[in-house]
Amino acid sequence: MFDLIIRRARLSDGSLSDIAVREDKIAAVGSVAGDARREWDLAGRVWLSAGWIDSHVHCYPKSPIYHDEADRIGVATGVTTVIDAGSTGADQVDDFYQLTRGCDTRVLALLNIARSGIETQNELADMSRIDGAAVQAALRRLPQFIVGLKARISSSVVESNGIRPLERAKTLQQENGGLPLMVHIGNAPPDLDQIAGLLGRGDIITHCYNGKPNRILTPAGELRASVQQALARGVRLDVGHGSASFSFAVAQAAIARGILPHTISSDIYCRNRLHGPVRSLAHVMSKFLNIGMTLPQVIDCVTAHAADGLRLQGRGRLQPGMDADLTLFDLRSEPCLFTDADGETLNGERQLVPLAAVVGGQIFFTEQGEHSDDFCL
Ligand SMILES: [Zn+2]
């Protein structure tokens, strides 16, 4: 006896599958025989994937600059796990942890190497804020919650410190078991060649398709050699769209050269959710569907790849034994106008519309899901 069987769900490769859930885990996938307390036949009309993971968000409600509510950017938009990327450092991360225990969305954190987190925009302008003992103690207190480190390495954040905060971040990473390090890139200094040169396996470059002069492409539109070498060493590319860090031109040129993102993330917080250009993870994913990525590629970027990049055990794949985290969605063919972070627009024709998030077997409908005729419970 299962708790839930979802029948005839359409997977990202177009095939149909049943998914059975027992307690809070996926119990069977494929053609499932047996009964359940609750059955749900999607008749191939609704798409389903492992639960979407947004690798870069901001949802510490008390952050003075980038705040939001986890469930608004989570289950309300089909996202089952969000990873806050450095809103908090060692000084606030316990408060953040406590504040998000009641959320329906799974909330995890990348710890800002500055103990102040993003309390100001220039958290790495003062090297004394990088406190190795405080980082280590926070990791020891919250080993399940903190999944890695975050370092924002652009001129407005590091000011005159240049590459030094990143050198410290690499040392902290090594002192703490080599956990994932997400590095935000933006305006120089430091130059991206200098940043990329320090990165290796386990490191993640976020804002990878930003349109600033210090971007991954050379003026001739080729991938910088330093980034190419970093990718060969196992460095991963994360989108981190945000308010100022995503350019259609850069993304299109990169994708045309086969430089795909490992993870698609939103860098969402209340302002760019409400006023654009981010809106939601689904909206960011839809942009990639319209600039040359396939549906399976886009879905992998928010499921298996996201789980791999942040080493989230038991998530990101539709397999027995995994957490029963699922996203149900619609793929609509309708004209849609998209805008990047530089104000450039793109006329698209395909749009992902999240209908429901299942977290540990518990179902949460989105607003569109509540009004959808395809759900007959
Ligand atoms: Zn961010």
Side-chain angles (χ1 to χ4, degrees), residues 6-19 41-50 295 299 318 327-331:
I6 301 175
R7 296 209 181 271
R8 294 193 290 169
R10 190 166 296 282
L11 306 186
S12 67
D13 64 1
S15 67
L16 295 184
S17 179
D18 304 335
I19 290 95
D41 188 356
L42 301 179
R45 289 195 302 266
V46 174
W47 298 78
L48 178 149
S49 69
L295 181 66
I299 295 296
L318 282 179
T327 298
L328 289 86
F329 57 97
D330 201 359
L331 177 59

Side-chain angles (χ1 to χ4, degrees), residues 121-126 152 154-163 165 188-190:
Q121 277 289 11
N122 61 347
E123 75 265 17
L124 296 176
D126 176 356
R152 300 202 306 151
S154 56
S155 63
S156 58
V157 181
V158 301
E159 295 187 350
S160 62
N161 285 325
I163 201 70

Side-chain angles (χ1 to χ4, degrees), residues 73-87:
I73 59 176
V75 291
T77 59
V79 176
T80 56
T81 299
V82 295
I83 293 92
D84 180 279
S87 303

